[in-house]
């Protein structure tokens, strides 16, 4: 999420102080994404250096400065809104990595790992569902945030279900497991894997 562009969007309405921008950002996103005060002022200072915002209160500290949007800032905001997110490799999803690791450990039940995460995500979905039910109908900002999170969590649950089905259908040996039986035979020689018997066209094994 681009905090800097959210600041620019709020400034399209009127000039505002830093604390005011922080409060309005949190209120309009349903307080799902709390902002640190220092983060707000660091972002505003950067936007001012870039010429996207300006202030007449040069001699005052950050809390007393009122910022307003410049023409360059308005162009930057509209350009950002119309630019698709940059495509790239899939992110390193921690949950996917945990499952990848668990399936290689002989002492870990990967199915239990999947179900544990599934239960936790379902609980999180229930929390967001209650939050949505308690929200005022006119609180569109909160509704959008909650809907987006519910859709994201639902996708994670679907992936967990698919992963469970895939692992049950195609169980894999842990990376540390030997591919063949190398135990010693009765004569002291290492046993060798036997070649499967071939079948002729009539189905007779030989």
């Amino acid at each position: 999420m681009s905090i800097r562009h959210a600041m620019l969007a709020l400034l399209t309405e009127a000039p505002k102080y830093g604390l005011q921008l922080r409060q309005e950002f949190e209120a309009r996103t349903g307080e799902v994404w709390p902002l640190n005060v220092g983060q707000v002022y660091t972002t505003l200072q950067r936007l001012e250096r870039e010429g996207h915002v300006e202030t007449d209160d040069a001699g005052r500290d950050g809390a007393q400065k009122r910022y307003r949007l410049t023409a360059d800032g308005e162009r930057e905001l509209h350009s950002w809104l119309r630019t698709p997110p940059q495509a790239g490799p899939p992110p390193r999803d921690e949950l996917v990595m945990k499952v990848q690791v668990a399936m290689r450990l002989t002492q870990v039940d990967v199915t239990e790992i999947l179900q544990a995460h599934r239960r936790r995500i379902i609980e999180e979905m229930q929390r967001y569902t209650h939050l949505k039910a308690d929200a005022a109908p006119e609180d569109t900002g909160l509704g959008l945030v909650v809907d987006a999170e519910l859709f994201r969590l639902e996708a994670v649950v679907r992936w967990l279900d698919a992963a469970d089905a895939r692992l049950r259908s195609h169980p894999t040996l842990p990376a540390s497991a030997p591919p063949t039986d190398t135990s010693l035979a009765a004569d002291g020689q290492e046993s060798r894997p036997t070649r499967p018997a071939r079948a002729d066209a009539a189905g007779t094994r030989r």
Side-chain angles (χ1 to χ4, degrees):
M1 179 181 58
S2 177
I3 302 300
R4 60 197 304 270
H5 292 98
M7 298 293 104
L8 293 178
L10 290 170
L11 288 173
T12 60
E13 302 168 343
K16 297 175 182 179
Y17 295 97
L19 288 176
Q20 184 181 1
L21 287 167
R22 178 199 178 196
Q23 292 168 354
E24 291 188 11
F25 174 87
E26 293 184 350
R28 298 190 188 192
T29 57
E31 300 183 357
V32 175
W33 296 314
L35 280 183
N36 181 279
V37 176
Q39 184 180 9
V40 172
Y41 287 115
T42 299
T43 301
L44 289 170
Q45 290 169 5
R46 178 184 174 188
L47 290 172
E48 188 174 13
R49 289 195 303 268
E50 295 172 344
H52 294 149
V53 302
E54 60 186 9
T55 177
D56 294 332
D57 305 319
R60 300 182 180 182
D61 62 21
Q64 296 177 316
K65 284 185 177 181
R66 190 170 65 167
Y67 297 87
R68 62 173 174 269
L69 189 68
T70 65
D72 284 345
E74 187 171 2
R75 284 192 291 269
E76 169 64 20
L77 173 63
H78 287 284
S79 174
W80 174 75
L81 289 171
R82 289 168 172 76
T83 302
Q86 185 175 3
R92 292 185 179 91
D93 189 289
E94 184 178 354
L95 179 55
V96 177
M97 295 176 69
K98 285 181 179 180
V99 175
Q100 292 274 12
V101 171
M103 63 186 286
R104 300 294 177 182
L105 301 177
T106 56
Q107 70 273 26
V108 173
D109 183 354
V110 65
T111 300
E112 190 277 329
I113 297 294
L114 291 171
Q115 293 306 317
H117 285 289
R118 192 181 192 280
R119 287 192 298 271
R120 179 66 183 87
I121 292 172
I122 293 296
E123 292 173 358
E124 191 72 3
M125 292 179 69
Q126 292 172 345
R127 186 175 72 85
Y128 277 105
T129 300
H130 292 319
L131 180 63
K132 182 178 180 179
D134 295 339
E138 64 273 13
D139 196 345
T140 306
L142 176 59
L144 290 171
V145 172
V146 171
D147 283 344
E149 190 62 11
L150 284 172
F151 287 136
R152 186 188 69 81
L153 293 172
E154 181 182 0
V156 176
V157 171
R158 292 177 62 187
W159 179 83
L160 286 168
D161 290 343
D164 189 28
R166 182 180 295 275
L167 290 171
R168 290 178 187 274
S169 301
H170 305 284
T172 58
L173 288 173
S176 58
T180 58
D181 183 9
T182 57
S183 60
L184 293 181
D187 59 359
Q189 298 298 319
E190 184 178 344
S191 62
R192 299 178 181 273
T194 57
R195 184 186 301 273
R198 292 181 298 146
D200 57 21
T204 304
R205 299 178 68 86
R206 54 182 178 176

